[in-house]
Amino acid sequence: MKLKELESILQDCEVFDTPKIQYEQYPTTPHLASRMLYTADTVYDDIENKAVGDFGSGCGVLTIAAGILGAGYCVGFDIDPDAIDIAQQNSESFEIEIDFINTDLTHPSSLGGFNNKLDTIIMNPPFGTKNNKGIDMVLLKKAIDTAKTAVYSLHKSSTRDHIMKKAKEWNVTFEVVAEMKFDVPMMYKFHKKKNVEIAVDFLRFEKQAS
């Protein structure tokens, strides 16, 4: 499948009607989602026939992209039951079998039996602004602890040096796969501009051989 074809297919994903600021719900665009998953698959062979998890799966666009690209198993985790409902509707529309689990990933026992069962974890975590300071790093550490091979994640480019230091502490390799622009539309009352572009890094972390 070509990249443009994947992006076109993902345009049909439904997104939040009423996003919740407490969860920093900003949908990942088909443009970003397609490039993230296409790269993970074609450059690193981390998607096709692999068990893929999505931390903070929202409306399911990353998980659905993984399914389209031939993941062997897909599962999404999200704290918001309304997001889970939209994601399930999307997966049914695309006729892709995906498990979506309503859970708080910050809780120690939130993953049940999934520890060390997922080859690859993909995510677009909250940036950790507003009331969620540091949540991006909490979820990233959990993903790195959980994945058997690789973690792909989007983070503000301004946090790159901090994340690089953490990756060394956690004994994982760190790679900036691409520098991207995350488009934040006017979704919440406090937004003053129609849209804002945020510079983000698409990062790949890989477990070091022990």
Side-chain angles (χ1 to χ4, degrees), residues 120-174:
T120 305
I121 291 175
I122 52 175
M123 59 184 208
N124 175 18
F127 290 140
T129 55
K130 288 293 170 189
N131 302 318
N132 292 318
K133 190 168 179 59
I135 188 69
D136 54 334
M137 299 307 293
V138 171
L139 295 182
L140 178 59
K141 179 64 164 66
K142 187 135 190 174
I144 287 169
D145 288 345
T146 304
K148 286 163 67 176
T149 304
V151 173
Y152 293 85
S153 190
L154 282 181
H155 295 267
K156 281 185 174 180
S157 299
S158 60
T159 64
R160 184 186 299 176
D161 289 345
H162 175 63
I163 293 174
M164 192 182 301
K165 288 176 187 173
K166 285 295 183 183
K168 286 180 182 177
E169 282 180 27
W170 299 338
N171 194 34
V172 291
T173 61
F174 165 95

Side-chain angles (χ1 to χ4, degrees), residues 38 61 76 145 198:
Y38 190 82
V61 65
D145 288 345
I198 297 174

Side-chain angles (χ1 to χ4, degrees), residues 67-95:
I68 291 169
L69 291 170
Y73 173 72
C74 293
V75 58
F77 304 88
D78 204 280
I79 194 171
D80 180 16
D82 294 330
I84 294 282
D85 287 344
I86 297 170
Q88 286 176 328
Q89 290 167 23
N90 278 329
S91 68
E92 288 166 11
S93 298
F94 282 93
E95 298 181 351

